[in-house]
């Protein structure tokens, strides 16, 4: 069977599985017409027109298929924005080489030293209001970070899931958890996953939103935020950029912000026991700037470092971000080895860039091709890891001010990478 026939065969199977998917049928009909199988295309086009009578592409293809001598297809290809990678991966699943190949077969030829870490500071997106989300990820979706997951499980999730334990250890469980580390390493992702694990809703707010946008009416808004969280219990309330209060301390003295902050602290103390089903989590890229009032017992009194993933972690993150894309012959182990210092977000960016490359190549050649190792390696060379600047600051802080060993994890990471 040549590759065109194999493609037709898997498209036929895909249509048989999803008979009500017009896009699949159209794609199959187009392939059939171009392969001289106009007759077989007709019932598929008829099915599409039954579902979508105004589908002009189906109409044009039908006229072609019914023409006395069906010519080769001359319908313009679908614009690339409509191309459904996941569907293509599903359809081609049986005819393409394996997605991932085992590490044993990997060669060491491109086992070069990773490039020095550069500095592209992460940007944050301010949102206007808070919204209640349903968490769709769980800790299984978070690549690597096994130490963080273990701590989350032991210190937070296990007792939260078990009311008896919670009662027994009630006092020591008070307080929320602060996730800190360089941008893009999965703090927000983990907070969402915690909500997913608890079957809880998720509300994310940034501190600067609370302080800036709600100025004037902010105390009321803070109350409203916690009220919404309680009304949606169980709910994880996630405060991003917790350091914003610290950075604005001078402003605080002179403005109405103090009331807002006090209200926030009162509310936090109120939810600390977790009895009303609201769990507070916070994140910061600048733990050294977090106002100490927020770190007192009963508030965000436990900190967990979320650092760039280790080699198995990077492998897992690559796999996570490639799992729904049409890939062939990917050596995850090699990619992981060559991306030391990359954050999860950097890896997501590499995967995105690689699939853009493959998509562009497919569009310009008119033949769909898989994302290959070469695409990922080229993308990797284009993406600069974004965690460098953070470690420069963290190193200085950890060297001169490491209260209660808060930055021990950072020091251990830097030592392991021989950067200490
Ligand atoms: P942070 O909050 O630490 O700045 P995010 O949690 O917002 O970082 O991560 C940004 C994106 O990077 C996530 O949406 C996800 O796509 C990817 N990412 C980061 N860490 C991981 C991880 N451990 N596993 C899978 N994807 C990750």
């Amino acid at each position: 069977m040549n590759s065109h026939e194999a493609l037709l065969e898997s498209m036929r199977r895909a249509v048989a599985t999803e008979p009500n998917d017009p896009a699949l049928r159209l794609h199959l009909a187009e392939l059939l017409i171009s392969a001289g199988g106009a007759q077989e295309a007709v019932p598929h086009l008829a099915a599409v027109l039954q579902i979508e009578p105004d589908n002009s592409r189906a109409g044009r293809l039908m006229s072609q298929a019914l023409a006395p001598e069906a010519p080769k297809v001359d319908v313009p290809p679908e614009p690339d924005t409509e191309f459904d990678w996941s569907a293509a991966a599903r359809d081609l699943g049986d005819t393409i080489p394996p997605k991932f190949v085992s590490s044993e077969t990997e060669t060491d030829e491109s086992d070069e030293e990773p490039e020095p870490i550069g500095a592209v500071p992460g940007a944050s997106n301010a949102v206007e209001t808070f919204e209640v989300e349903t968490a769709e990820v769980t800790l299984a979706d978070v690549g690597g970070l096994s130490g963080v997951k273990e701590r989350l499980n032991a210190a937070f999730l296990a007792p939260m899931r078990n009311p008896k334990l919670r009662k027994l250890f009630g006092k020591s469980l008070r307080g929320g958890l602060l996730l800190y580390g360089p941008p893009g390493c999965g703090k927000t992702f983990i907070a969402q996953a915690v909500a997913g694990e608890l079957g809880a809703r998720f509300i994310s707010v940034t501190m600067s939103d609370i302080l800036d946008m709600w100025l004037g009416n902010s105390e009321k808004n803070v109350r409203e935020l916690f009220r919404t969280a309680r009304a949606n219990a169980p709910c994880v309330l996630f405060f991003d950029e917790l350091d914003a209060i610290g950075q604005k301390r001078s402003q605080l003295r002179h403005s109405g912000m103090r009331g807002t902050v006090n209200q926030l602290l009162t509310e936090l103390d109120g939810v600390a026991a977790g009895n009303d089903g609201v769990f507070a989590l916070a994140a910061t890229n600048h733990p050294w700037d977090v106002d100490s009032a927020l770190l007192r017992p009963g508030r965000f009194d436990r900190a967990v470092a979320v650092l760039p993933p280790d080699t198995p972690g990077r492998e897992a993150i690559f796999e996570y971000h490639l799992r729904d894309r049409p890939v062939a012959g990917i050596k995850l182990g090699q990619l992981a080895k060559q991306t030391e210092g990359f954050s999860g977000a950097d890896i997501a960016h590499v995967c995105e860039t690689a699939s853009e490359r493959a998509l562009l190549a497919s569009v310009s050649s008119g033949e769909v091709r898989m994302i290959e190792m070469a695409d990922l390696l080229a993308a990797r060379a284009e993406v600069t890891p974004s965690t460098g600047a953070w470690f420069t600051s963290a190193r200085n802080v950890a060297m001169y001010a490491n209260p209660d060993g808060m930055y021990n994890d950072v020091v251990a990471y830097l030592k392991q990478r021989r950067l200490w």
Side-chain angles (χ1 to χ4, degrees):
M1 204 189 290
N2 67 29
S3 66
H4 200 77
E5 283 161 0
L7 181 59
L8 268 176
E9 222 7 76
S10 41
M11 285 303 298
R12 283 192 191 102
R13 275 202 301 277
V15 168
T17 322
E18 301 271 32
N20 294 322
D21 185 332
L24 274 182
R25 282 197 191 263
L26 268 181
H27 196 50
L28 173 59
E30 193 172 287
L31 288 172
L32 283 166
I33 295 175
S34 73
Q39 282 210 327
E40 193 190 330
V42 171
H44 293 296
L45 294 166
V48 173
L49 287 167
Q50 212 167 28
I51 305 169
E52 296 175 353
D54 298 329
N55 189 318
S56 55
R57 194 159 152 252
R60 276 201 312 277
L61 284 168
M62 183 65 112
S63 333
Q64 277 186 329
L66 294 175
E69 263 186 43
K72 290 266 175 197
V73 70
D74 63 354
V75 175
E78 289 260 39
D80 54 7
T81 47
E82 281 179 30
F83 190 79
D84 184 346
W85 276 118
S86 313
R90 261 198 326 269
D91 304 342
L92 299 176
D94 292 344
T95 59
I96 55 177
K99 279 185 151 198
F100 305 116
V101 292
S102 87
S103 311
E104 275 92 79
T105 58
E106 292 181 18
T107 57
D108 271 336
E109 72 217 356
S110 37
D111 209 0
E112 55 193 46
E113 280 291 299
E115 272 174 19
I117 293 175
V120 181
S124 64
N125 286 328
V127 286
E128 299 244 329
T129 50
F130 57 87
E131 57 181 289
V132 183
E133 295 167 33
T134 312
E136 276 159 15
V137 286
T138 64
L139 285 181
D141 295 307
V142 179
L145 299 173
S146 47
V148 174
K149 287 183 197 171
E150 269 164 34
R151 274 162 85 169
L152 274 174
N153 254 321
F156 199 73
L157 289 169
M160 289 304 172
R161 283 198 197 104
N162 184 330
K164 267 203 194 131
L165 268 184
R166 218 158 83 198
K167 219 164 165 199
L168 204 60
F169 293 97
K171 277 236 156 58
S172 53
L173 276 179
R174 288 172 59 83
L177 208 60
L178 171 65
L179 306 167
Y180 78 89
C185 286
K187 298 182 290 297
T188 310
F189 205 47
I190 286 178
Q192 282 167 329
V194 164
E197 292 285 333
L198 292 171
R201 304 260 171 70
F202 184 71
I203 299 179
S204 169
V205 281
T206 62
M207 266 342 264
S208 41
D209 284 348
I210 294 185
L211 296 179
D212 292 342
M213 294 181 191
W214 296 345
L215 206 63
N217 223 0
S218 351
E219 282 176 61
K220 224 169 121 192
N221 279 310
V222 170
R223 265 200 302 275
E224 178 60 18
L225 170 64
F226 281 83
R227 198 196 60 73
T228 312
R230 282 189 200 98
N232 285 284
C235 181
V236 168
L237 189 44
F238 176 61
F239 295 91
D240 207 356
E241 301 173 17
L242 196 67
D243 49 280
I245 291 185
Q247 287 172 6
K248 295 186 186 236
R249 207 173 297 157
S250 56
Q251 277 169 281
L252 271 175
R253 258 182 246 128
H254 308 289
S255 70
M257 275 185 207
R258 177 158 288 286
T260 310
V261 174
N262 286 342
Q263 183 63 38
L264 182 69
L265 297 178
T266 310
E267 295 278 5
L268 276 177
D269 292 345
V271 301
N275 289 335
D276 48 8
V278 179
F279 311 108
L281 286 182
T284 178
N285 296 347
H286 308 108
W288 38 85
D289 284 335
V290 172
D291 197 301
S292 54
L294 285 163
L295 303 177
R296 297 221 179 99
R299 295 172 188 160
F300 298 107
D301 51 6
R302 284 163 297 166
V304 177
V306 181
L307 299 174
D310 57 9
T311 314
R314 293 195 297 277
E315 200 170 319
I317 297 174
F318 267 111
E319 186 167 6
Y320 175 76
H321 288 283
L322 292 173
R323 73 186 171 174
D324 290 332
R325 300 179 199 259
V327 293
I330 302 303
K331 296 171 181 172
L332 293 171
Q334 185 183 334
L335 289 170
K337 266 190 213 156
Q338 294 190 26
T339 43
E340 190 170 19
F342 278 54
S343 68
D346 295 332
I347 293 176
H349 188 189
V350 169
C351 296
E352 192 62 38
T353 310
S355 57
E356 271 164 25
R357 270 177 65 97
L359 179 63
L360 277 179
S362 299
V363 169
S364 61
S365 73
E367 283 209 7
V368 178
R369 78 156 173 79
M370 302 289 109
I371 302 167
E372 290 156 8
M373 203 51 191
D375 297 309
L376 282 148
L377 290 176
R380 180 234 166 264
E382 276 172 35
V383 176
T384 314
S386 58
T387 56
W390 189 87
F391 278 109
T392 307
S393 311
R395 191 171 175 277
N396 289 335
V397 174
M399 227 169 221
Y400 302 108
N402 189 2
D404 309 324
M406 174 162 169
Y407 300 117
N408 285 355
D409 287 347
V410 176
V411 175
Y413 174 88
L414 288 170
K415 279 187 178 156
Q416 179 236 320
R417 289 201 53 204
R418 290 189 286 278
L419 297 169
W420 181 264

